[in-house]
Amino acid sequence: MQQLKTALTKCKIVPVVVVKDVAHAAPLANALANSGLTVVEVTMRTPAALNVISEMVKARPDLVTGAGTVLNAQHLQQARDAGANFGVSPGTSVALREAILASGWNFIPGCATPSEAMTLAEHGFEVVKLFPAEVIGGLNMLKSMAAPLPHIKFMPTGGVTLAKVAEYAAQPNVAAVGGTWIVPPTLLEAGDFAAIEKLAREAHDAANGLISV
């Protein structure tokens, strides 16, 4: 978990990507890593996802590559077998939580309420995903939870835009911000990795206070 926490702290932004073509895996990994990003979440929403994860890990072992949309124990094992460095879930059922704990694998479980976050923290999770962030209160919710729950770090994801990323990243209880805008499907399908690298660098710089947007 320390490698993941260090990577999150280093760049404060995690692109959340949906990849349909395994041929895009290596060039995408290169574009993200070359932009300064250190972590990526590849959602398990396409038939190619597991192969994409494997290829991204091979292409850029310096990029901490995670599997997103892990919903059950089977997904968890598949993601681990594919070589993913960690897993992420949109929410956390009791069955999934127990599978994660039994596996000992690096994982950022999802939550949407303070009670869910507290329960996950009680089970030893140091970083949790706040999802869908903008829908359930976004920045105001994170600010409200900072004082009573200072021991819990969040990765807000869902609806966050470039215009808000700097403010999210600056919150003391935010480990990193999940960004779905960084790798648009249109650019990925067009194979325009130069444009993706530009968006990734912009997101990195905004999250780290290097530019204002």
Side-chain angles (χ1 to χ4, degrees):
M1 189 66 187
Q2 189 55 49
Q3 179 195 19
L4 176 57
K5 288 171 64 179
T6 299
L8 292 173
T9 301
K10 185 176 180 179
C11 75
K12 301 289 284 187
I13 184 79
V14 178
V16 179
V17 305
V18 180
V19 187
K20 298 179 181 179
D21 187 345
V22 70
H24 293 154
L28 177 59
N30 286 325
L32 297 176
N34 291 344
S35 74
L37 298 189
T38 54
V39 185
V40 60
E41 175 187 336
V42 181
T43 64
M44 291 176 61
R45 301 181 198 170
T46 71
L50 294 172
N51 288 331
V52 168
I53 289 169
S54 295
E55 291 303 312
M56 291 183 75
V57 170
K58 291 176 186 175
R60 292 302 293 252
D62 54 326
L63 183 67
V64 181
T65 301
T69 324
V70 176
L71 304 180
N72 51 50
Q74 181 182 9
H75 285 169
L76 188 154
Q77 190 59 55
Q78 289 173 335
R80 293 191 74 183
D81 290 345
N85 301 121
F86 68 100
V88 186
S89 61
T92 314
S93 66
V94 173
L96 177 58
R97 185 188 70 207
E98 294 308 307
I100 297 166
L101 293 173
S103 73
W105 194 37
N106 293 331
F107 209 94
I108 302 177
C111 70
T113 69
S115 294
E116 291 175 357
M118 289 169 62
T119 299
L120 291 169
E122 288 171 359
H123 283 85
F125 294 100
E126 300 176 42
V127 181
V128 299
K129 177 176 180 173
L130 186 68
F131 180 84
E134 281 287 285
V135 173
I136 59 177
L139 283 164
N140 287 335
M141 185 175 185
L142 286 163
K143 291 175 182 178
S144 296
M145 291 192 292
L149 303 175
H151 58 298
I152 303 176
K153 297 292 185 182
F154 295 90
M155 185 175 77
T157 307
V160 181
T161 62
L162 179 64
K164 292 187 176 182
V165 70
E167 192 172 2
Y168 267 101
Q171 298 307 310
N173 57 345
V174 168
V177 183
T180 57
W181 79 91
I182 300 169
V183 183
T186 51
L187 292 182
L188 192 57
E189 290 167 12
D192 193 346
F193 296 101
I196 290 172
E197 183 173 338
K198 183 178 178 181
L199 287 176
R201 190 176 301 279
E202 185 179 48
H204 169 278
D205 291 350
N208 289 277
L210 302 176
I211 60 171
S212 58
V213 293

